[in-house]
Amino acid sequence: MKDLNELQSIISKAVAETKYPSQPPDLYEPISYILSLGGKRMRPALLLMACDLFGGDVNKAIKAALAIEVFHNFTLMHDDIMDRAPLRRGKITVHEKWDQNVAILSGDAMMVEANKLMLQVDDAILRPVMDIFNETASGVCEGQQYDMSFESRDRVSADEYINMIRLKTSVLLGGALKIGALIGGATEKDASLLYTFGEQLGVAFQLQDDILDIYGDPEKFGKQVGGDILANKKTFLLIRAQELADDITATELQNWLDTVDPDPQQKVAAVTAIYNKLNIRQLATETIQIYAGRSFATLDELDLPDSHKQYLRAFADSLLVREY
Amino acid sequence: MKDLNELQSIISKAVAETKYPSQPPDLYEPISYILSLGGKRMRPALLLMACDLFGGDVNKAIKAALAIEVFHNFTLMHDDIMDRAPLRRGKITVHEKWDQNVAILSGDAMMVEANKLMLQVDDAILRPVMDIFNETASGVCEGQQYDMSFESRDRVSADEYINMIRLKTSVLLGGALKIGALIGGATEKDASLLYTFGEQLGVAFQLQDDILDIYGDPEKFGKQVGGDILANKKTFLLIRAQELADDITATELQNWLDTVDPDPQQKVAAVTAIYNKLNIRQLATETIQIYAGRSFATLDELDLPDSHKQYLRAFADSLLVREY
């Protein structure tokens, strides 16, 4: 089994070497630009990893892995317009560096490029791979739409929230793994199990992110503590707190959400105190365990040598055992 | 051979019967909405026509034809954002009826739906069909980017302009015909000839549109005479006039382009007079003849019965013999 870092390096090299047409520049330069901003290349590396797991040649999976990375960055380019984000990975976003129209159209062209890359898989698996890719793409669009619509809603249920994060981020992890497995020669059954492994692990990882916003060590985590609270973000913690709070606590929580220009430290402390009183961290951790458990359970069913299952288990552990 | 009107009706019925997921509504309702606004369904009808020409079963080509129509409407949804258009076919545009973010994301989802529809062709032609579809999609994006960038440029050459309209509108006509031909069982050679037939005819048709803006009978044409002139649109006529004008005429033309709030009738009359002096209408008509000639020339090479070639010739004539 190849090391995940090695697979990430293969992708970074392949991304840097990929050339797009030179004309028209405002269509293709933003594609090279956003792809040059870096990132961990986790999704395409997972595709290569899945191929490797089933004994496939990772070199034959690089175009498909690039397709996943190009698709992911296309969604980022359009999401940044929708979120009016000025920065992406610390660099100016495409719609700010060029303009919004360029970001819309260049994103569209990027999706076409992703399709062209994915179409380079062997004939024998062309249809199933393209079906997975399109189902994944629909899921990501649906997740982004739910995410946007939740912002203007008063209440979102925990189930709705988990379904949103599953669609917005986890199906692409699952899709990348499933496609990589098929390229590596996995059976449909094993490829689907690996999809579930990634999908459920992705949900656990996203829920963990919600906990880390408040309970994470800022030095290790590298983000401002309570950023989600200050942004009134409907995280799993807030949603569960709203569901479980008695009337007085619910009013107190709502007052903090409604306060214009609160003292940041006071607001984070007060909302965290509410979460603590309601035992939200424990509840969230239990939910993470459920999804992590479903992810690990697929390992028992996968037709792979124990050493390979151990590799997957170690990978999952590395994602989930972030100290907090 | 089936009548083109009949093919258009088949498409309209299929469009109306196509159902999208109900959730999330803001992602899928705009797709049904923009497709319900009508239009002539010319592109998908051409796909069915091409299938029929080679003896194929048009019922087997309906999903691919829908893919072309869904793709076309995806480009309209995003173009309307970029053009800040309030209306599409007399109805409120998606970004106005919902909001811009909905139009961006729903358009993205629409492109995925188009891919899913196109993927339903038989295995034997799956790869060539998807290759044509993606090449076509890239071309349409490139054409739209050129069109936008021309707006802010002082000068555009006639060659650049023709390449832009070829990409923005003609390659989709060609692509629809080629895919339909392959579904109908045509050889790669015949399918490519039909692509060229559509592509060159499309350029001729678009150039004709530029002439009709000024020289068309407003009652038959149904548009305001000189609308392109009032919008300072870089049409083939304006571009050729800029290329051919002597210094004095060029200055006069530029003054009209630079005048803020001109009297509309005066501006149209003055610019038309410049075109007349430079014999632009005749030059444009000659260019149309070149492209129409290239389109008709493919008929000689196509391996089809004379009656079928006559059908294509009559179709082309119906597009080009618009009275003006």
Side-chain angles (χ1 to χ4, degrees):
Chain A
M1 289 296 304
K2 292 198 187 337
D3 188 74
L4 196 60
N5 290 329
E6 186 186 340
L7 299 175
Q8 288 168 299
S9 299
I10 291 174
I11 296 298
S12 293
K13 191 160 161 283
V15 167
E17 285 170 357
T18 304
K19 294 277 172 284
Y20 298 95
S22 60
Q23 295 292 329
D26 279 359
L27 191 66
Y28 291 113
E29 280 176 10
I31 298 179
S32 300
Y33 172 75
I34 194 169
L35 285 167
S36 77
L37 300 183
K40 296 189 297 294
R41 316 293 187 196
M42 182 59 83
R43 293 160 191 79
L46 288 179
L47 188 148
L48 297 186
M49 182 186 89
C51 173
D52 193 33
L53 270 174
F54 290 94
D57 177 0
V58 295
N59 290 311
K60 281 189 65 182
I62 289 176
K63 295 289 184 191
L66 282 174
I68 291 290
E69 185 67 5
V70 171
F71 172 80
H72 175 57
N73 279 272
F74 139 70
T75 66
L76 299 180
M77 199 188 282
H78 278 189
D79 284 3
D80 284 343
I81 308 171
M82 296 185 235
D83 299 341
R84 302 175 190 276
L87 298 176
R88 160 72 53 193
R89 306 191 208 283
K91 298 278 173 59
I92 186 168
T93 45
V94 168
H95 65 103
E96 291 283 344
K97 187 175 165 76
W98 283 268
D99 60 36
Q100 180 184 281
N101 285 359
V102 164
I104 292 174
L105 194 58
S106 193
D108 292 346
M110 216 167 164
M111 188 159 162
V112 179
E113 293 302 317
N115 271 288
K116 287 182 188 173
L117 286 162
M118 194 58 90
L119 277 164
Q120 293 180 46
V121 296
D122 285 347
D123 283 349
I125 53 168
L126 180 59
R127 185 179 293 283
V129 164
M130 294 311 293
D131 285 346
I132 299 160
F133 190 46
N134 281 307
E135 274 311 311
T136 300
S138 292
V140 173
C141 290
E142 290 172 10
Q144 170 69 3
Q145 181 55 52
Y146 282 125
D147 196 16
M148 289 200 299
S149 69
F150 289 175
E151 279 174 34
S152 55
R153 276 170 54 179
D154 283 339
R155 282 296 182 96
V156 172
S157 75
D159 285 349
E160 286 178 311
Y161 178 75
I162 287 176
N163 189 46
M164 182 276 284
I165 59 176
R166 183 184 68 80
L167 289 165
K168 187 167 173 174
T169 66
S170 299
V171 297
L172 187 55
L173 303 179
L177 286 166
K178 186 169 184 180
I179 289 170
L182 289 177
I183 295 172
T187 61
E188 165 62 30
K189 186 192 167 201
D190 278 337
S192 293
L193 283 167
L194 207 57
Y195 179 94
T196 303
F197 170 80
E199 183 196 41
Q200 301 295 304
L201 184 64
V203 171
F205 183 75
Q206 288 296 316
L207 290 174
Q208 177 178 260
D209 230 38
D210 286 356
I211 295 184
L212 288 169
D213 176 62
I214 303 171
Y215 301 104
D217 178 341
E219 281 187 26
K220 287 184 185 150
F221 188 42
K223 284 187 192 173
Q224 181 191 19
V225 172
D228 290 346
I229 290 178
L230 295 174
N232 279 358
K233 204 177 154 208
K234 288 190 186 69
T235 65
F236 188 74
L237 310 187
L238 177 57
I239 288 165
R240 291 295 278 142
Q242 287 179 322
E243 286 176 352
L244 296 169
D246 57 32
D247 288 355
I248 292 169
T249 310
T251 303
E252 190 196 344
L253 183 57
Q254 191 60 45
N255 284 342
W256 278 111
L257 296 175
D258 294 342
T259 303
V260 179
D261 283 329
D263 177 84
Q265 283 193 310
Q266 269 196 322
K267 179 172 177 175
V268 170
V271 174
T272 302
I274 293 172
Y275 291 171
N276 290 341
K277 188 171 73 176
L278 296 169
N279 204 22
I280 298 296
R281 181 181 179 173
Q282 177 63 27
L283 289 171
T285 303
E286 284 166 15
T287 307
I288 290 174
Q289 296 308 328
I290 291 171
Y291 286 92
R294 288 182 191 158
S295 177
F296 283 104
T298 63
L299 296 179
D300 297 332
E301 294 183 67
L302 271 167
D303 183 21
L304 278 175
D306 278 345
S307 62
H308 288 33
K309 292 185 183 186
Q310 188 48 42
Y311 178 100
L312 285 170
R313 201 171 284 117
F315 164 70
D317 280 336
S318 74
L319 284 185
L320 292 179
V321 186
R322 285 162 68 173
E323 287 177 47
Y324 56 92
Chain B
M1 289 296 302
K2 292 199 187 334
D3 187 74
L4 196 59
N5 289 328
E6 187 186 339
L7 299 174
Q8 288 168 299
S9 298
I10 291 173
I11 296 298
S12 294
K13 191 161 162 283
V15 167
E17 285 170 357
T18 304
K19 293 278 172 282
Y20 297 95
S22 61
Q23 294 293 330
D26 279 0
L27 191 68
Y28 292 112
E29 280 176 10
I31 299 179
S32 299
Y33 173 76
I34 194 169
L35 286 167
S36 76
L37 300 182
K40 297 191 295 295
R41 316 293 187 197
M42 183 58 84
R43 293 160 191 80
L46 288 179
L47 188 149
L48 296 186
M49 183 185 89
C51 174
D52 194 31
L53 270 174
F54 290 94
D57 177 359
V58 296
N59 290 311
K60 282 189 64 181
I62 289 176
K63 294 290 184 190
L66 282 173
I68 291 290
E69 185 67 4
V70 170
F71 172 80
H72 175 57
N73 278 271
F74 140 69
T75 66
L76 298 180
M77 199 188 282
H78 278 188
D79 284 3
D80 284 343
I81 307 172
M82 297 184 234
D83 299 340
R84 301 174 190 277
L87 297 176
R88 160 72 54 193
R89 306 192 210 284
K91 298 277 173 60
I92 186 167
T93 45
V94 168
H95 65 102
E96 291 283 343
K97 186 176 165 75
W98 282 268
D99 61 35
Q100 181 184 280
N101 286 358
V102 164
I104 292 173
L105 194 58
S106 193
D108 292 346
M110 216 168 165
M111 188 159 162
V112 179
E113 294 302 316
N115 271 289
K116 288 182 187 173
L117 285 163
M118 194 58 90
L119 278 163
Q120 293 180 45
V121 297
D122 286 348
D123 283 348
I125 54 169
L126 180 59
R127 184 178 295 281
V129 163
M130 294 311 294
D131 285 346
I132 299 160
F133 191 45
N134 282 307
E135 275 312 310
T136 300
S138 292
V140 173
C141 290
E142 290 173 11
Q144 170 68 3
Q145 181 54 53
Y146 281 124
D147 195 17
M148 288 199 300
S149 69
F150 289 176
E151 280 173 33
S152 56
R153 276 172 53 180
D154 283 339
R155 281 299 181 94
V156 173
S157 75
D159 284 350
E160 287 178 311
Y161 177 75
I162 287 176
N163 189 46
M164 181 277 284
I165 60 175
R166 182 184 69 79
L167 290 165
K168 187 168 173 176
T169 66
S170 299
V171 297
L172 187 54
L173 302 179
L177 285 166
K178 187 169 183 180
I179 290 169
L182 289 177
I183 294 172
T187 62
E188 166 62 30
K189 186 191 168 201
D190 278 337
S192 293
L193 283 167
L194 207 58
Y195 179 94
T196 303
F197 170 80
E199 182 196 43
Q200 301 295 303
L201 184 64
V203 171
F205 183 76
Q206 288 296 318
L207 290 174
Q208 178 179 260
D209 230 37
D210 286 356
I211 295 183
L212 288 170
D213 176 62
I214 302 170
Y215 300 105
D217 178 340
E219 282 188 25
K220 286 182 184 153
F221 188 42
K223 285 188 190 172
Q224 181 191 20
V225 172
D228 290 346
I229 290 177
L230 294 175
N232 280 357
K233 203 176 155 210
K234 288 191 185 69
T235 65
F236 188 74
L237 309 188
L238 176 57
I239 289 164
R240 291 294 279 141
Q242 286 179 323
E243 286 176 352
L244 295 169
D246 57 35
D247 287 355
I248 294 170
T249 310
T251 304
E252 189 197 344
L253 182 56
Q254 192 59 46
N255 284 342
W256 278 111
L257 295 176
D258 294 342
T259 303
V260 179
D261 283 329
D263 176 85
Q265 281 193 312
Q266 268 195 324
K267 179 171 177 176
V268 171
V271 174
T272 303
I274 293 172
Y275 290 172
N276 289 342
K277 188 170 74 177
L278 295 169
N279 205 23
I280 298 296
R281 181 181 180 172
Q282 177 62 26
L283 290 171
T285 303
E286 283 166 16
T287 306
I288 290 174
Q289 295 307 330
I290 292 171
Y291 286 91
R294 288 181 192 160
S295 176
F296 283 104
T298 63
L299 297 179
D300 298 332
E301 294 182 68
L302 272 167
D303 184 21
L304 279 175
D306 278 346
S307 62
H308 288 33
K309 293 185 182 186
Q310 187 48 42
Y311 178 99
L312 285 169
R313 201 171 283 117
F315 164 70
D317 280 336
S318 74
L319 284 185
L320 292 179
V321 186
R322 286 163 66 173
E323 287 178 46
Y324 54 92

